[in-house]
Amino acid sequence: MSASLSAGLAALGLDLPAAAPERLLAFRDLLLKWNKTYNLTALRDPEEAIAYHLLDSLVILPHVGAGPLLDVGSGGGLPGLPLAIARPDLAVTLVDSVQKKASFLQQAAIELGLKNVTVYHARVEELRGQYARITSRAFAELQPFVALTRHLLAPGGRWLAMKGVCPDGEIAALAADIAVAAALPLRVPGLDAERHLIILKEAGS
C-alpha cells in the first residue's frame, strides 16, 4: 500500500476493509488513465491524487451513515467511488449528465468489482428514487443543489455538500424551509486548503 494513503487513513481514523486500500489505488490509476482522454480531473500527479481525490472524498465517511447514497454530478466518481470502496455495505448511486463521464463511472465500477454501485447517465432532475444521503463535491451552489435533488431525499435524509471555504453567502441564500444541520470544518491529510462539509436537512426533519 502507498505510504501516504496509509498515513492519511490513519490520520482520519478510518479502519477500512482489507481490500479497500489497494482498490482505492486502482481507482486512482483508472481515473488518471482515463483522464488522458476524457479530462476528468485537472490533476496529473498520482501522489497528489491521494490527498486531493481519495482522502478528500473519504473525509466525509463518518457522516455518511446507513441507507442509500446518491452522488450528484459525480464526474470522475468523487466522492462516490471512494465511499463505495470504503463501505461495501453501502448502496451508492452515481449520476452525471455527461456521457463520457458516465461511461468512465460504469467502467470503473465494473473493473473495480463494485457490486454496490449503480451509474446513471441522466440529469438529476430526471432521476427517481429515495436516498438517505445526497452528496456533491463540485455540482452547484447550495440552493440549486437542494432544489434539483429534493424529490430524491428520503424522509429524515440529509444533503452532504462538500465545499472549500465555508459558503456563508450560499447558506444565507437557502430557502426558508431548508436548515443547516451542521457546517463542519474538515482537515484532509496532505491537503493545505480549507474544506467544509455542509449538512442540510428539511426544516423540522
Side-chain angles (χ1 to χ4, degrees):
M1 194 208 308
S2 155
S4 55
L5 178 58
S6 180
L9 293 173
L12 291 175
L14 297 178
D15 184 17
L16 302 188
E22 290 308 320
R23 205 172 255 175
L24 285 166
L25 293 174
F27 161 63
R28 175 205 60 184
D29 294 344
L30 267 179
L31 178 64
L32 295 181
K33 175 185 171 185
W34 278 61
N35 191 50
K36 293 172 185 173
T37 306
Y38 279 22
N39 196 27
L40 300 166
T41 170
L43 282 185
R44 301 289 187 271
D45 181 77
E47 195 60 29
E48 277 190 351
I50 289 176
Y52 278 83
H53 291 332
L54 302 183
L55 299 176
D56 192 48
S57 295
L58 293 172
V59 71
I60 72 166
L61 192 61
H63 307 284
V64 166
L69 177 136
L70 173 65
D71 180 17
V72 178
S74 190
L78 305 162
L81 286 177
L83 295 175
I85 290 168
R87 286 274 308 276
D89 63 305
L90 182 70
V92 175
T93 297
L94 313 175
V95 59
D96 204 285
S97 62
V98 179
Q99 176 66 63
K100 65 181 182 180
K101 293 179 179 177
S103 296
F104 165 71
L105 297 172
Q106 189 68 59
Q107 188 62 30
I110 292 168
E111 288 196 32
L112 296 168
L114 299 176
K115 307 294 188 189
N116 56 330
V117 169
T118 303
V119 177
Y120 290 106
H121 168 231
R123 296 173 64 84
V124 69
E125 52 266 43
E126 301 164 354
L127 219 55
R128 295 292 175 263
Q130 293 279 278
Y131 299 91
R133 298 290 183 269
I134 301 177
T135 189
S136 78
R137 189 174 183 232
F139 174 65
E141 293 192 353
L142 293 177
Q143 179 53 33
F145 170 48
V146 167
L148 288 169
T149 59
R150 195 164 186 171
H151 66 292
L152 299 166
L153 190 73
R158 297 288 185 269
W159 288 278
L160 305 177
M162 301 176 70
K163 296 289 182 177
V165 175
C166 191
D168 296 323
E170 293 180 35
I171 290 172
L174 285 167
D177 59 349
I178 301 297
V180 177
L184 306 171
L186 303 172
R187 293 190 63 83
V188 180
L191 192 57
D192 185 21
E194 280 197 60
R195 287 290 188 269
H196 286 80
L197 177 63
I198 311 301
I199 304 177
L200 303 173
K201 63 177 185 174
E202 293 181 318
S205 71

